[in-house]
Structures are given as structure tokens and as C-alpha cells.
Amino acid sequence: MSQYTLGAGLVLPEDRGLYSLVDDRVRVTPELVVLSRPAASGWQDITYRELDAHARQVAAVLLHRGVGAGDRVGILGRTSYEWVVADLAVLAIGAITVPIFPTASAAQIAHIVADSGMTWCFAETPEHQELVAGAAAGALREAPWPLADLDSLTASDDTAHADGEVPAAGDGGAGEFERRRGAVRADSIATIVYTSGTTGMPKGCILTHGNLFASGANTVEHTGGLWRVWRPEHTVGTGADGDGTDASDVVTEQAATLLCLPLAHVFGRTILVACLYAGTRTGLLSAVTDLLPAMAGFRPTVLALVPYGLEKIRKGLRAAVDADTELAAVAAGLAQVSTGTGTGTGTGTGTDEPGGRPDEALLARVGAVFGGRLTHVISGGASLDNTTAAYYRGLGVHILNCYGLTEAATAVTVNQPETNRVGTVGQPIPGTTVGIAPDGEVLVAGPNVSPGYWRTGQDPLKAGTDPLQAGTDPSNPDAAGQDGTDAAPRWLYTGDLGRLDADGYLVITGRRKEILVTSGGKNVTPTLLEDRMRLHPLVADCMVVGEGRPFVAALVTLEPAVLAKLAAEAGLDLGTDRWWEHPALAERLRDAVDDTNSLVSRAESIRRIRVLPTQFTIADGHLTPSMKLRRAQIEAAFAAEIDELYTAAPEPAGPAPTEPATSAA
């Protein structure tokens, strides 16, 4: 079995919890701005000292209410400053945060409350409070607490309590806070994250304070100064500016990011931990749709996004970037990658190095939208179409692909600014080992790996958990541990397929459960086709089908605004029967299918598509809260439409369909 590690990484000392990240900064840089929240006048900055004071005050209220060590405390809401403060307060006193997606259904909330044994909960809106209260069916000890009230707790009484008193930082409540905080250990449970799951109800994945620290801190260390300082782009990764000036002579500024990832997802939580550790000014946004309008004023230097967010920004930029210029940016990015010149490794996979400057006029236009300082985006959570990565590179922004999963606190591998190897998801972060099983499955070991899944009714202060799918080296089960002891390494089996190149860069080649096998025996990776289809302006989403079928086909949903414009131009009446078979629609979608099929062989190409007159939604069970396709549910919901694809006519003879419906090519 092949494996790779970069060596030991940072670990949280055994006698410390995550709140030590705030404690340490308050002692060293108390007035450094760490968080920013949207305000009427722009942005309200919060220093480490202010964050500490607010978190301690909320923790005092929680102690006054009776929240005990190991109690499970839910947080239901979008990413916000209040979410962060509530989380830190819970962690500081040794309780356990249970995040809930704001889009979760009543059934999902009821499952999470019952499975975790949740007894307290914060909720963002009155609707969320009502939803949790109803789903909890009396399990909560009090009605859900409004997140919006956290601001008033810094100055006003806890009016919900009978005696109206809130312990202040200077009275006896502070002593209890210090006692509880001092009892938290690195191996204490910090959070139970219910994996979004593409099948069935989610499972609660336990992550300790040490897991989250190892993931966040080692991501920062692995990516150099990216999360700490910003300097002009031409000095990033080179150590000098274009004129040979030493980097120490270049004025640097505090790194800044806009965090719009949901904090209910472990990717968002890990990035937050990374920012608290690194001292990154972090602007908090409730949704990815808020990102593009906020960038010009906030001026981020680095972002962390999922491909869905990058695709949305690309489409949003079309107001400033016309179609020809967009194609030129993609071409420029692809040329720079293929050139492989500069200071990088220049392997056959491709190195993200400058092979020529992008068009200056284009950079100026986009720079005004991005804020003029953005140099890198860490992309993870799903596969990213290579033209999207090239597009951003053509705009002067480097995409650093990464890989991880909930059970490893998100971070397993990430590309580094200096050695960004395009086509890979980077090398393991320090302290993490990646292995490839004989059958190609990616295995992970390290201090970021979860101790297991939550077992209903277990003691939250003890280690006993349902195990992950884990074991020893499948090719050598008697092997000694990586530390030279007799203990065999504990591998996390990820379910993903991949390979390691000679330098330890990981390439993800597919997902065990997402590989389609046609009736002709052809293996097809649907995500490659789906990612490209979604880039077309008219396509909102796409799911490829073909398991056990004679050819590959796809279900497609459309962008409502683009569809409305097309309908007006082509005289398409969306109220007529089977409007999706209109020739104008077929002509537009033919370009999307042809472009997508150019990536694969004829046997793997999409031969027929079916436009759906609806959207894939979280509410209907088609998507997970992190916007991943729930394939089994979609196949069940649209079984008749899929059958039409294969029964309306014989297999199309050409490489692509000519209509977006069920007729042959």
C-alpha cells in the first residue's frame, strides 16, 4: 500500500481546549481585529479582547441557566457573528455544540435532537425557534434561545431567568467559568456534526477539540503566510518582488477573508478555527449570494469556497465580463498552467505558475469587483471543473484545491501557494498520512481523524463511540504503527478513489458509490460531466444517469431568470404542455452537451437529456444541505422521466442529443 506524510504537525496540548486560541491572542494581540460583521455603515470590527469579553458573558449566562459539561447545545442558523460567539461560549465551558443547517426539515431536526440528546438550543429566527421547539417534542429544557439576543447579553439582564440576574465577568460566575474552561481537554468532545448524507438520515460524527485544532492550525501552517499576511500578488510564493526587492522590504497587511460557508458544515468551522489561530480578519456573511457584493468594500486577500460558490461567482461576474472575455480568461489560465514556467515544480500534471500576465484591462475591471487584493481561493467539498479553475487563474486568482471529509475535520490535503499542482488536491497537511489501498480507496490517519460516531445515549464525557469504518493496512494487517510502535495505524476508509503521485500529491479519481457502470461495462464518472454542464448559463443543475443502462443520459434543471429571457426572445410559452421540447431550448442546450462531451470518450458521453420543469431542492430531498446531489432520492422522484430517456427511442447514434427531451439525436 502506498502512503505519504509530510511529518509531524501541530497538536493541541492535552490539557487545553479550543478556547485557548482566544485566550492566547488576548494575551499577545488583544486589539487585533479578528471578526467583522455587516453593519449599516459597512463593517463592525471585533477585536480578540472584545470577542473574549462577549463569549465569556454568554458563557456566564449558559452557566446560570444550568448548562453542564457534556450537555449538547444546538445552534440553528446561518453563518453570523452570533453563531461564532454562541459556539465559543459552549466550547469554553465544556459543553458540546450540535450545529443544525438552517435549511433542515422538521424530520431532520427531530432526528438530530433525539439522537444527540440535545437539551438546549440557539436559533436564528422566530421561524427557526418554532421549528426546533416543535421538532424537539419537549426534549429541550427551555425554549430555544434567539441568537439575536446575544448582543443584549453584553449589557442587559438575563430577563428570561426568574431572578433576572446574570453573572458578570467580575463576580463569582467568573470563577466557575475558569473552572469549567480549565477542565476541557484536547480529547474532550467539541461538536457532533451530523453529516449531510446522500442516503438516509445523517449520522453524528464526533470531533474533539484536538481534531478541530489539528485540522485548522495545520492548514494554516501548510499554506505559508496566506492566512496571516497579504502582500502584492507578485511577491506571493516568490520571496521577492518583480524587481528583486527582498520580501522583507515589502509592506504587508493583515490577511482578510470573507466566510460565507455555513458554520453548520465542518468546512466552515475548520476555516473559522484556522482564522482564529492565524489572526485573519474574518468577515462573516450569511450566504454565498452575499459574497460578490461584499468583496469590493471588504477587500479579502484569501477565500475558502466550495465549487458551487466559485461557479456562482463566475456567473455573477458576467455583468462585468462578456462572453468573449470570459473565454479569453479561460484560455489565458489554461495557457499559464500548461506553460509551467516560474518557480514551481513543473510536472506533467501542470503547475499553477505565471506563463504570461492576464489582460490588464480585464484585471482592472474584475479587481474593482473583488476588492483588488484577492490572490488565492481554497476550494474543497466537491470536484471543480478545470475551466473554472483556469478562468480564475486568467483573472489573476490562484485556486488551491483541497480534499477532506467530516470524519477528518475537513482538512486532509491542500495545495500550497508555492507549489500548486493543478489537477491534484495537494499534499497531506502536516501530521496527516494519506494511504491508497490496493483497490484504490483513499485512506487517512492523523490527529484530525474523528474518534467515531455518536451513539445515542452514550456518556458524552467518555470516549466510547461507534467506530468509523477504520482498520489497519489492508495489504499488511500485521504492520507496525507509523510511530515505530507495535500499534497498527488506524486508517479512516473514505470511500473515495484516488492515487498518489511520486511527490505525494493526491489525485481524486472518483467515488466508490458514484461510479456508474453502463450495461456495456463502461465505467463513467458522473461528476466530471455534471460539473461542466452546470457552467452553461442556462443550466442550474444536472444529474447524470446510466447505471446498468445502454448509454449515459442526464436530468437537467434550468436557471429561471435565463429561461425567462430565452422564452421572451423565442416566443416560448412556459405554460404549454412539454414546453421543454421547444427547438430554441434544444439549440441552447446542445452547446452545453457538446462542450461537456468533449471531455470524454463516446461511450462516456451524454447521449440524451431530459429537462425538468422544476428544480432540485433541499426541501424536496433532492439535495443535501451542502448542495450535493442525493442521487437515490432524485432517481426515485423522477423515475418516470428517466425511463422516458431509455424507452422513447433506440439509443441515439450521434455523440450528443439534438433536443433537451426524449427524442433521439
Side-chain angles (χ1 to χ4, degrees):
M1 183 182 78
S2 62
Q3 57 183 282
Y4 189 85
T5 182
L6 284 175
L10 295 174
V11 294
L12 189 64
E14 293 181 3
D15 61 347
R16 307 189 81 187
L18 270 177
Y19 198 80
S20 61
L21 294 176
V22 179
D23 281 334
D24 291 346
R25 283 286 182 172
V26 169
R27 284 193 293 270
V28 179
T29 55
E31 301 308 318
L32 182 68
V33 172
V34 60
L35 298 177
S36 298
R37 63 197 300 195
S41 58
W43 290 92
Q44 177 190 349
D45 290 335
I46 297 98
T47 66
Y48 277 103
R49 178 184 56 78
E50 292 167 331
L51 175 62
D52 177 53
H54 200 173
R56 284 171 178 264
Q57 182 63 46
V58 173
V61 174
L62 297 182
L63 292 172
H64 195 55
R65 298 287 184 91
V67 177
D71 281 4
R72 275 74 72 207
V73 182
I75 305 181
L76 170 59
R78 298 170 298 172
T79 294
S80 66
Y81 170 70
E82 293 81 7
W83 207 112
V84 175
V85 171
D87 185 34
L88 288 173
V90 169
L91 297 179
I93 63 173
I96 298 169
T97 299
V98 182
I100 305 174
F101 277 95
T103 53
S105 67
Q108 290 170 325
I109 294 173
H111 167 73
I112 292 172
V113 171
D115 187 74
S116 68
M118 184 189 303
T119 51
W120 316 90
C121 190
F122 291 94
E124 179 183 1
T125 67
E127 292 76 18
H128 288 153
Q129 295 161 38
E130 183 177 347
L131 187 60
V132 173
L140 300 182
R141 292 176 57 182
E142 291 188 16
W145 303 318
L147 278 172
D149 286 358
L150 291 191
D151 272 342
S152 63
L153 292 180
T154 61
S156 64
D157 289 342
D158 180 12
T159 55
H161 197 273
D163 59 17
E165 295 181 0
V166 180
D171 64 19
E176 177 63 7
F177 173 85
E178 296 299 338
R179 186 189 71 79
R180 289 279 292 273
R181 185 194 57 170
V184 179
R185 297 291 182 264
D187 62 358
S188 298
I189 299 174
T191 188
I192 305 171
V193 178
Y194 281 81
T195 56
S196 52
T198 55
T199 60
M201 281 295 185
K203 296 181 70 173
C205 178
I206 291 172
L207 294 173
T208 67
H209 289 250
N211 291 151
L212 290 170
F213 176 86
S215 184
N218 287 304
T219 295
V220 172
E221 298 302 327
H222 191 58
T223 51
L226 199 59
W227 295 94
R228 290 190 170 103
V229 297
W230 174 84
R231 57 176 60 90
E233 183 189 4
H234 58 274
T235 69
V236 173
T238 66
D241 70 11
D243 300 322
T245 303
D246 189 274
S248 62
D249 296 329
V250 178
V251 176
T252 62
E253 300 175 15
Q254 180 186 13
T257 191
L258 285 166
L259 180 56
C260 61
L261 295 169
L263 290 173
H265 193 288
V266 71
F267 190 11
R269 294 279 287 294
T270 294
I271 294 299
L272 175 63
V273 170
C275 293
L276 292 173
Y277 169 77
T280 314
R281 182 191 174 211
T282 306
L284 298 159
L285 296 173
S286 61
V288 69
T289 51
D290 299 328
L291 179 59
L292 198 56
M295 290 176 72
F298 191 85
R299 304 184 69 219
T301 63
V302 60
L303 295 173
L305 292 169
V306 295
Y308 169 82
L310 287 166
E311 291 164 1
K312 286 295 183 184
I313 292 174
R314 181 177 177 179
K315 289 183 176 182
L317 280 174
R318 285 171 179 156
V321 179
D322 59 43
D324 289 341
T325 305
E326 180 175 342
L327 291 174
V330 172
L334 291 172
Q336 291 167 41
V337 168
S338 63
T339 300
T341 59
T343 59
T345 56
T347 68
T349 306
T351 302
D352 185 12
E353 292 295 340
R357 293 288 296 170
D359 178 76
E360 294 298 333
L362 171 62
L363 287 178
R365 286 202 305 277
V366 176
V369 177
F370 284 173
R373 300 196 305 167
L374 182 66
T375 61
H376 293 84
V377 177
I378 291 181
S379 173
S383 58
L384 177 68
D385 182 84
N386 65 348
T387 67
T388 297
Y391 171 69
Y392 282 94
R393 185 64 193 94
L395 299 179
V397 177
H398 303 255
I399 302 296
L400 303 176
N401 282 317
C402 67
Y403 168 74
L405 62 166
T406 300
E407 290 81 355
T410 292
V412 173
T413 68
V414 63
N415 268 296
Q416 298 169 285
E418 296 83 0
T419 57
N420 187 17
R421 189 163 294 186
V422 178
T424 79
V425 289
Q427 295 172 307
I429 62 172
T432 297
T433 301
V434 170
I436 305 296
D439 64 356
E441 184 169 1
V442 178
L443 312 180
V444 179
N448 49 346
V449 173
S450 163
Y453 294 110
W454 177 261
R455 186 179 66 250
T456 304
Q458 78 171 64
D459 184 342
L461 302 182
K462 293 185 178 179
T465 61
D466 282 349
L468 302 169
Q469 185 183 358
T472 58
D473 181 347
S475 63
N476 185 13
D478 297 323
Q482 295 158 298
D483 57 1
T485 69
D486 292 333
R490 180 176 175 273
W491 292 105
L492 166 65
Y493 285 61
T494 66
D496 293 308
L497 303 175
R499 58 181 174 83
L500 289 166
D501 71 13
D503 298 313
Y505 288 79
L506 178 63
V507 178
I508 298 297
T509 58
R511 174 93 183 149
R512 276 185 177 280
K513 297 179 180 179
E514 291 187 355
I515 297 294
L516 301 179
V517 183
T518 66
S519 59
K522 184 64 179 177
N523 287 2
V524 178
T525 303
T527 53
L528 177 68
L529 304 171
E530 292 159 353
D531 290 346
R532 181 59 64 89
M533 281 289 291
R534 281 194 294 267
L535 292 180
H536 192 276
L538 187 55
V539 177
D541 216 332
C542 172
M543 191 184 87
V544 168
V545 297
E547 176 68 30
R549 304 278 194 169
F551 56 88
V552 176
L555 301 176
V556 173
T557 67
L558 305 179
E559 290 281 2
V562 181
L563 175 61
K565 182 179 179 182
L566 173 63
E569 293 172 350
L572 168 59
D573 183 356
L574 299 178
T576 59
D577 187 41
R578 300 187 74 87
W579 56 262
W580 51 86
E581 295 179 348
H582 194 281
L585 195 56
E587 183 178 354
R588 288 290 185 91
L589 290 174
R590 185 183 299 116
D591 291 340
V593 175
D594 288 346
D595 179 51
T596 298
N597 285 343
S598 68
L599 301 175
V600 296
S601 67
R602 181 180 182 278
E604 300 168 274
S605 65
I606 297 173
R607 310 305 306 285
R608 188 176 285 145
I609 65 175
R610 172 63 153 86
V611 172
L612 300 175
T614 186
Q615 301 291 322
F616 296 150
T617 67
I618 297 172
D620 290 333
H622 305 143
L623 303 173
T624 71
S626 55
M627 306 304 290
K628 294 177 182 176
L629 298 172
R630 303 187 74 183
R631 297 181 187 276
Q633 286 80 351
I634 293 173
E635 287 181 3
F638 300 103
E641 288 82 353
I642 294 173
D643 285 343
E644 282 185 30
L645 288 165
Y646 295 97
T647 59
E651 176 186 353
T658 57
E659 296 186 24
T662 58
S663 57

